[in-house]
Amino acid sequence: MTDSGSPDSRSPHNASSPHDTSGPQAERGPLDADAPAEAAFEVEAEADAVVGAEADGPGRLDGVWDVVVVGAGPAGSSAAYAAAAQGRRVLLLDKAEHPRYKTCGGGIIGPSRDSLPPDFELPLQDRVHAVTFAYRGRFARTRRSKRMLFGLVNRDEFDLRLVQAAKQAGAVLVTGVTVTGVEQRGGEHRTALVTAADGRTFEARAVVGADGSASRIGRHVGVSFDQIDLGLEAEIPVPPEVAADWAGRIHLDWGPLPGSYGWVFPKTESGSLTVGVISARGDGERTKQYLAAYIRRLGLAGFPPSVESGHLTRCRAEDSPLSRGRVLVAGDAAGLLEPWTREGISYALRSGRLAGEWAVKVAEAGNAGEVRREALNYAFAIKAGLGVEMRAGKQMLNAFEHRPYLFHAAVCLVDPAWRAFARTTQGHTTFAQVLRDYRAARRLAALASR
C-alpha cells in the first residue's frame, strides 16, 4: 500500500523473479481493451537498450539540464514526463535498474488512473469488484460493487512503463546513480548541482527530489515527518485454484495494534497474493507477529513466500517545506501519502506531475525572487489539493486508532458508508469531501475520536 521510491528490505526465497510477467493483461486507459502480453517484454527490451545508449553515449550528460529528477518511481517518472512533455532537457536518475521489486500492494485507485500519461497502458493483474472486511480476523463480511473499485498491478511492471513514458516524452534516464546530495549555486550560475557517490555531478536549473522516504534531497530541503509507519509484506505464489478463489476480491483486516490493518491483494495473472500489514513504527516484533497470524488465519501458511520485505512510510508534518531554492520534492521524498490507508501511488503521481510542471517554471525564472515565487506556487498547489486530503486522512486515522470497530460496522452494515468507501477508491470523491458533505461521517469521526 506504499509508494515507489521508499527503500525496502527483502528476502527472496528463490533465485527467480517473484512475479511471472509472461501473462499480465495490459489495459489501455482506465477500463478499456486489453493489449498483448508481449508488450511488457518489448517495453523492457527497449528500455534496456535506450538506457545503455544514454549512459554510454559521448557528451549526452554534459552541460546544464533544465530539470534533473532524482528517483524513477511514480513521482519521479511523472515529474520527468511533465517537464519533458514541455520540450525541456530533462535528466532522470535512479540508483536501480528497471524492472525492480518494490514493497507495495499495487492498488491503482481512481486518482492514480486519472494522473497517468495519455494512452498509458496499465499492466493490470486484476480488477477489484469485491472487498472482504474483517475485524481482528473475525466478523468478516464481503461487499460487492458492479463497477470496478480499483485495479491491481505489480510495481516492477507498472514503474517500468512509467519510466518508458517519461523517456518517450524526451527525458534521458541514467540508472546506477546513487545521489548523495545537492548544492545550490547562486551568482552567475543560477543552478543546482546534484552529486553522486561515484563522483559525477549533474547541473540543472531546477531539481526534483523523488528519491523515496529516506530522501537525500528531502534532507536538503528540510522535510519533516509527524507519522512513521512500518509496512511488512509477503509475495505468496499460490496454486491456480487458490488464485481463482481470490480473483477480483481483496481482503482488509482491521488489526490489533492502534491504526493497524492487513491486506490481501491478488495478482491473479501472475498467480500470487500480496499479503501485508502496516502499523506505527516502534513495535516491530508485534507487527511481525500480526503478519504471521494473519497469513495463518487466511489459510496461506502452507505456501512459501517468494519475497518477504518491509519498509517505513513517512507522512509529512503540515508545516514541512516542499522546496528550497531551485529544489522541489514530491511523493515519498516530500512525505506525501494518505495518512489512514498509507496509500502513496496516487499522491506520488499527482505531486510528481505538479513538481515537473513547476520545475520548468523554476528553471525559466530569471532571478531569486522569481524562483521563490514559483516554488511557493508549487507548495500552494500541493497544499490546496493533497494537503487538504491529508488533513482529512489524519482525522480518519485518529478516529480509527480509537474505535476501529465503528469503522468496521459502518462499512459492513451501513450502505452509505460502503458507497462512500467505494466512490473514494473509484476516484469520485475523497475523504475530505466525505467529511465536508456528510454530517453522519463527521459525527462518526468525532465519536470515534473520543
Side-chain angles (χ1 to χ4, degrees):
M1 300 288 286
T2 52
D3 184 33
S4 57
S6 302
D8 63 64
S9 60
R10 65 182 185 276
S11 171
H13 289 253
N14 56 50
S16 63
S17 169
H19 309 300
D20 174 10
T21 56
S22 62
Q25 290 182 331
E27 184 171 282
R28 183 175 299 275
L31 298 172
D32 261 338
D34 293 333
E38 291 80 9
F41 291 106
E42 294 170 1
V43 169
E44 180 176 337
E46 183 180 350
D48 290 341
V50 174
V51 169
E54 291 168 351
D56 300 333
R60 291 298 302 275
L61 304 181
D62 294 343
V64 178
W65 296 84
D66 292 317
V67 179
V68 168
V69 180
V70 181
S77 294
S78 294
Y81 176 89
Q86 297 186 51
R88 299 307 188 269
R89 189 168 183 250
V90 178
L91 178 64
L92 178 59
L93 304 174
D94 200 277
K95 65 181 178 181
E97 290 191 17
H98 290 258
R100 81 283 186 267
Y101 181 83
K102 281 294 179 181
T103 304
C104 180
I108 305 298
I109 60 175
S112 297
R113 291 199 309 268
D114 295 341
S115 302
L116 293 169
D119 300 321
F120 185 87
E121 293 181 346
L122 268 171
L124 287 185
Q125 287 284 319
D126 209 332
R127 298 165 175 82
V128 176
H129 287 266
V131 183
T132 298
F133 296 99
Y135 175 64
R136 300 184 183 182
R138 300 181 298 164
F139 312 115
R141 182 176 179 185
T142 299
R143 309 285 318 239
R144 301 183 185 277
S145 171
K146 292 181 180 179
R147 298 187 58 193
M148 188 178 88
L149 297 170
F150 56 94
L152 297 171
V153 299
N154 286 329
R155 281 291 305 278
D156 52 0
E157 300 164 354
F158 178 68
D159 289 13
L160 177 63
R161 294 197 180 190
L162 285 172
V163 167
Q164 183 64 18
K167 291 195 298 181
Q168 288 173 346
V172 174
L173 171 69
V174 179
T175 58
V177 178
T178 300
V179 169
T180 56
V182 61
E183 173 191 348
Q184 308 267 355
R185 306 184 74 194
E188 64 181 17
H189 295 287
R190 294 203 296 268
T191 58
L193 199 65
V194 175
T195 58
D198 60 8
R200 284 184 290 176
T201 60
F202 308 93
E203 190 172 6
R205 297 181 180 88
V207 173
V208 176
D211 48 335
S213 63
S215 168
R216 291 296 185 97
I217 307 302
R219 198 174 306 164
H220 171 80
V221 168
V223 175
S224 61
F225 310 99
D226 62 7
Q227 177 185 329
I228 303 178
D229 298 291
L230 171 64
L232 301 177
E233 200 168 78
E235 292 287 341
I236 304 179
V238 294
E241 61 272 17
V242 177
D245 183 59
W246 282 96
R249 178 175 64 94
I250 68 166
H251 191 282
L252 295 177
D253 177 72
W254 314 124
L257 304 172
S260 68
Y261 74 96
W263 64 88
V264 180
F265 282 6
K267 307 300 171 61
T268 304
E269 291 296 327
S270 56
S272 67
L273 302 175
T274 302
V275 184
V277 300
I278 195 163
S279 67
R281 183 182 68 168
D283 204 344
E285 189 57 38
R286 290 183 67 194
T287 305
K288 291 179 184 177
Q289 292 171 1
Y290 175 29
L291 177 59
Y294 186 41
I295 290 173
R296 283 197 305 272
R297 285 199 305 266
L298 293 166
L300 300 174
F303 306 114
S306 59
V307 179
E308 293 178 304
S309 62
H311 89 226
L312 297 176
T313 65
R314 295 176 169 91
C315 236
R316 70 186 293 271
E318 192 157 354
D319 60 352
S320 177
L322 291 159
S323 68
R324 178 180 174 185
R326 292 180 174 270
V327 179
L328 313 177
V329 285
D332 276 357
L336 293 167
L337 71 157
E338 205 290 308
W340 177 32
T341 64
R342 288 79 152 187
E343 189 276 326
I345 294 177
S346 72
Y347 280 67
L349 292 169
R350 289 182 283 174
S351 65
R353 184 188 70 239
L354 290 171
E357 292 169 354
W358 255 274
V360 169
K361 297 177 182 179
V362 168
E364 294 173 342
N367 56 57
E370 292 179 7
V371 168
R372 187 160 48 249
R373 181 168 60 250
E374 298 301 347
L376 286 173
N377 285 338
Y378 167 67
F380 177 80
I382 292 292
K383 292 175 182 178
L386 298 179
V388 172
E389 293 181 31
M390 289 185 70
R391 199 173 302 123
K394 289 183 178 182
Q395 280 184 262
M396 299 284 282
L397 176 62
N398 180 52
F400 178 70
E401 287 175 334
H402 286 81
R403 304 279 197 280
Y405 55 86
L406 289 181
F407 282 77
H408 182 65
V411 293
C412 288
L413 304 175
V414 182
D415 286 342
W418 159 245
R419 286 196 294 271
F421 177 91
R423 286 175 54 79
T424 299
T425 64
Q426 292 165 339
H428 301 311
T429 189
T430 66
F431 290 144
Q433 290 173 322
V434 169
L435 289 175
R436 184 192 65 201
D437 296 341
Y438 296 97
R439 186 173 63 177
R442 294 194 299 274
R443 292 179 65 184
L444 173 64
L447 175 63
S449 298
R450 294 174 186 169

